[in-house]
Amino acid sequence: MPRSAPPARVPTHVAVIMDGNGRWANARGLRRNAGHEAGEEALFRTVEGALALGIGHLTVYAFSTENWRRSPEEVRFLLDFNRSLLLRRVDELIDRDVRVRFIGRRGRPVPRRLVDLIERTEARTAHCSRMTLRIAFNYGARAELVDAARRAAEDVAAGTLRRVDARSLAARLDDPAMPDVDLLIRTSGEQRVSNFLLWQAAYAELVFTDVLWPDFDEDELARCVAEYAARDRRFGGAEDRPSDADDGGGEG
Ligand code: IPE
Ligand code: IPE
Ligand code: MG
């Protein structure tokens, strides 16, 4: 769909599983790391597209708690690459009034200098308010939920929390300010969630695209958002609409 015609229903929070870098590179006779490098422009195109559509929250999966299983060369590359990306491009995000926040565990084995840069980036962009870009790094939803449960148990033991419920647990997730996910996109044709935002995406609409992450762009984002806008979200509720039988469902 044309970029000039955003769909009527814009999701507040779009989350993206940026997948397919390795396959994109291997299909070109290149090493997997070349695919990660090519993914950088896709990320910035997606930020531009999200800004143009008026999306307030964009969360991207950059490195999972399971990605440590990859070869030492690829892990090292991804750590260095993410650090260099932050060093080189945060000014552009500040220019666009984009706040950057991180979710995921910040302890070992994440290198101290990367954690320092993560904290500096959050501080430098804290005043930006047009959109929040959250980067999930060393993130896994199970680890996040374990940490939240542990904090809640500690607070109950300390007498500062009376009971554990959905609200008190949500308040102890990595970023309690993160709204629920409206639209979850996964690229590269894989149809799984791979331990991403299990709590926050409980009622997300899922859109899978065959496009490999390095080829993702504003138009593909707009197409995914249009697919989202055409969905009927019910959140467990139901509406009796027998008139749909004779008017073809064309209710305003
Ligand atoms: C996604 O692309 C990037 C990360 C997981 C860091 P992959 O590296 O998973 O690429 P494929 O899925 O192997 O093609
Ligand atoms: C999910 O992709 C993690 C990221 C995109 C960072 P993976 O490529 O690691 O997921 P699986 O292994 O195919 O489920
Ligand atoms: Mg993958």
Side-chain angles (χ1 to χ4, degrees):
M1 70 175 301
R3 254 174 256 180
S4 54
R9 291 166 62 213
V10 175
T12 298
H13 184 186
V14 175
V16 186
I17 301 175
M18 311 184 288
D19 198 16
N21 295 352
R23 279 165 283 164
W24 182 93
N26 285 171
R28 284 163 178 73
L30 304 170
R31 308 295 303 267
R32 295 178 53 81
N33 290 342
H36 299 315
E37 278 176 340
E40 177 176 328
E41 286 315 316
L43 174 60
F44 281 80
R45 288 193 297 268
T46 303
V47 167
E48 291 300 334
L51 288 169
L53 290 167
I55 289 163
H57 298 263
L58 176 67
T59 302
V60 297
Y61 208 0
F63 191 90
S64 77
T65 48
E66 287 72 36
N67 285 147
W68 299 103
R69 292 179 189 156
R70 297 190 178 191
S71 74
E73 293 74 28
E74 185 169 348
V75 168
R76 166 139 304 281
F77 180 88
L78 286 167
L79 295 174
D80 290 345
F81 177 67
N82 279 283
R83 186 164 175 276
S84 115
L85 191 152
L86 286 179
L87 283 171
R88 287 182 287 106
R89 305 205 63 170
V90 168
D91 288 340
E92 285 169 58
L93 296 170
I94 293 171
D95 283 348
R96 282 159 181 72
D97 201 17
V98 174
R99 181 173 192 176
V100 183
R101 295 181 61 90
F102 285 79
I103 55 172
R105 284 183 173 164
R106 297 184 187 191
R108 286 199 297 163
V110 182
R112 185 64 233 180
R113 59 185 199 146
L114 179 54
V115 175
D116 288 343
L117 185 58
I118 283 173
E119 287 169 358
R120 218 174 330 136
T121 302
E122 289 185 328
R124 282 190 63 207
T125 63
H127 64 285
C128 299
S129 61
R130 190 166 165 210
M131 181 172 85
T132 301
L133 170 66
R134 289 186 181 80
I135 301 176
F137 192 88
N138 191 28
Y139 175 86
R142 287 182 172 179
E144 180 185 38
L145 287 166
V146 165
D147 291 347
R150 205 172 272 156
R151 281 178 208 128
E154 285 166 2
D155 291 347
V156 168
T160 53
L161 176 66
R162 221 145 52 91
R163 54 191 231 117
V164 180
D165 54 15
R167 208 157 68 140
S168 53
L169 200 66
R172 286 162 179 77
L173 295 172
D174 287 357
D175 184 353
M178 180 197 285
D180 278 354
V181 177
D182 298 300
L183 166 60
L184 175 61
I185 299 168
R186 183 166 188 150
T187 60
S188 86
E190 305 296 350
Q191 302 196 356
R192 55 178 171 266
V193 176
S194 300
N195 202 15
F196 194 40
L197 302 177
L198 296 181
W199 179 281
Q200 301 88 340
Y203 264 100
E205 295 295 327
L206 310 183
V207 171
F208 301 105
T209 167
D210 287 337
V211 171
L212 300 173
W213 178 249
D215 291 327
F216 198 84
D217 62 10
E218 295 94 323
D219 290 339
E220 189 57 21
L221 175 67
R223 203 197 57 70
C224 293
V225 169
E227 191 172 329
Y228 162 86
R231 300 270 179 91
D232 183 15
R233 300 184 81 188
R234 291 191 283 272
F235 299 98
E239 232 179 287
D240 208 5
R241 289 188 295 205
S243 62
D244 282 3
D246 46 63
D247 69 3
E251 199 181 303

